[in-house]
Amino acid sequence: MIVLVYRAFTADPSHETLLSKPLNRWSINDVTLWVEHLGVWTNQYKETFSREQIDGRSLSALSDEDLSAAPFMIENQSHRRIILEELHRLKETGVTRPQTLWEYKEVNPGMTLFLLISLRNFPRLTLLYLYLFDYDVTFLPFIQTVCPSNKPQDRPGWKQWAEFLLMYFLLPYQLLTAFFWHWLSVHYWTAGIAIIHSMLLTVLDIKIYWTVWRRGEMRTLPKMLWIQVVAVVLSLSLYVLLWPLLPLFIINIEIYSQLYFAIFFTAALVKQTLLQTERPQRP
């Protein structure tokens, strides 16, 4: 927490994220970053934008004919369509979509806290909720990140769905590991801690289901899950009731606690669970 506070007060105040910087003030690096975050398929194009010194003003003037001609030479029509659709949306809204985890937190602090708590406790239910009620904004980018496709498409293909559903039912926390692995080069320490936390949660998840199956208590799983859901909802009800009154400082403390401190509680729980398994085996 001391390091986070220090970085908050020593950060360069002139630094602007793409969320708040107008398009006509984008630098060449800003444009390259924007192209890169459109998907893995843009890796073959981002160097061209950087080499041709395309800044915000030049980007706003691009057309389909420009992208298909030299020096861009984007022959794939679907690639050009996605770039132009994102550019059109950028011109209309004036801001780009969040490009990093911190930018997403700044725009959606409530959703960020909800995801941190619910994914840690109920990964399968949370992903199902996102699929049903927040498909385009949250679920679709998530599945495209953890199960990427080399071909850009509006909806995931059957191979992506097969890979996702296999991990969803067997190892849901590994989906979070894959997601944060994608961000490791951008958020090294935060993503690294989240990956280790996801691995610990995977061990705990496997151990719990193995214990329930070995004791022949699989029929009690729905009841156990319902009890846990009620317990978490009741513990967070105070946050829900006081949410409009909570200052952003308190919300950020809770978000940082879930990111950086919850891993120690999970590690202690894993240790306690494993010791309980080993204790009956001792003479």
Side-chain angles (χ1 to χ4, degrees):
M1 293 300 294
I2 294 175
V3 173
L4 291 173
V5 172
Y6 170 78
R7 293 194 60 180
F9 282 98
T10 58
D12 183 7
S14 63
H15 174 71
E16 287 184 289
T17 64
L18 298 187
L19 289 173
S20 58
K21 185 185 294 186
L23 178 60
N24 58 2
R25 292 177 52 191
W26 280 19
S27 65
I28 298 172
N29 292 333
D30 293 334
V31 173
T32 305
L33 183 64
W34 177 79
V35 173
E36 180 181 355
H37 282 93
L38 293 179
V40 295
W41 52 273
T42 61
N43 291 337
Q44 55 186 316
Y45 307 129
K46 64 179 183 179
E47 294 299 330
T48 304
F49 281 83
S50 177
R51 184 176 61 252
E52 297 300 323
Q53 304 289 300
I54 302 298
D55 57 9
R57 293 181 180 274
S58 302
L59 179 66
S60 61
L62 290 179
S63 62
D64 185 75
E65 292 77 10
D66 297 326
L67 294 177
S68 60
F72 300 100
M73 299 298 294
I74 302 178
E75 300 177 357
N76 192 312
Q77 184 178 0
S78 61
H79 291 191
R80 300 196 305 269
R81 178 174 56 83
I82 293 177
I83 293 175
L84 292 174
E85 285 180 355
E86 286 296 319
L87 181 58
H88 178 70
R89 193 195 67 82
L90 179 61
K91 291 178 180 179
E92 286 188 340
T93 60
V95 294
T96 183
R97 295 176 181 176
Q99 305 293 333
T100 65
L101 299 179
W102 298 124
E103 290 182 358
Y104 183 86
K105 181 189 77 71
E106 292 298 325
V107 177
N108 306 290
M111 191 63 175
T112 301
L113 186 58
F114 165 75
L115 291 176
L116 288 174
I117 296 176
S118 60
L119 284 173
R120 179 164 61 92
N121 292 280
F122 319 107
R124 297 175 181 87
L125 285 180
T126 304
L127 292 175
L128 178 61
Y129 167 83
L130 295 178
Y131 173 77
L132 294 175
F133 302 106
D134 200 15
Y135 183 85
D136 291 323
V137 176
T138 305
F139 182 83
L140 185 59
F142 179 80
I143 190 175
Q144 296 284 18
T145 301
V146 299
C147 304
S149 175
N150 292 328
K151 298 180 180 180
Q153 45 193 355
D154 297 333
R155 292 293 181 264
W158 69 268
K159 291 184 179 180
Q160 289 176 278
W161 276 115
E163 181 182 356
F164 175 82
L165 291 176
L166 180 65
M167 300 298 292
Y168 173 85
F169 288 108
L170 298 181
L171 299 170
Y173 291 110
Q174 290 304 107
L175 292 172
L176 303 182
T177 301
F179 177 79
F180 285 106
W181 183 267
H182 174 79
W183 290 100
L184 195 61
S185 60
V186 181
H187 309 286
Y188 181 76
W189 290 105
T190 302
I193 292 174
I195 289 173
I196 297 175
H197 196 180
S198 300
M199 291 179 178
L200 291 174
L201 289 170
T202 298
V203 174
L204 194 62
D205 190 58
I206 293 175
K207 180 62 179 63
I208 290 174
Y209 280 96
W210 169 255
T211 303
V212 172
W213 178 80
R214 188 181 58 180
R215 295 177 179 176
E217 300 176 351
M218 293 298 292
R219 293 183 178 180
T220 64
L221 268 180
K223 181 180 178 180
M224 295 171 56
L225 179 61
W226 174 249
I227 293 175
Q228 186 181 4
V229 169
V230 172
V232 173
V233 170
L234 290 178
S235 64
L236 297 177
S237 58
L238 185 62
Y239 268 107
V240 176
L241 294 175
L242 299 179
W243 184 261
L245 305 177
L246 289 176
L248 186 59
F249 176 73
I250 301 298
I251 298 174
N252 284 332
I253 287 180
E254 182 62 26
I255 291 176
Y256 293 141
S257 299
Q258 294 294 329
L259 275 174
Y260 301 111
F261 296 147
I263 184 175
F264 296 104
F265 296 100
T266 303
L269 188 57
V270 170
K271 179 181 178 181
Q272 179 183 0
T273 304
L274 295 180
L275 287 178
Q276 288 177 353
T277 304
E278 296 175 357
R279 191 172 294 121
Q281 300 176 357
R282 296 178 180 177

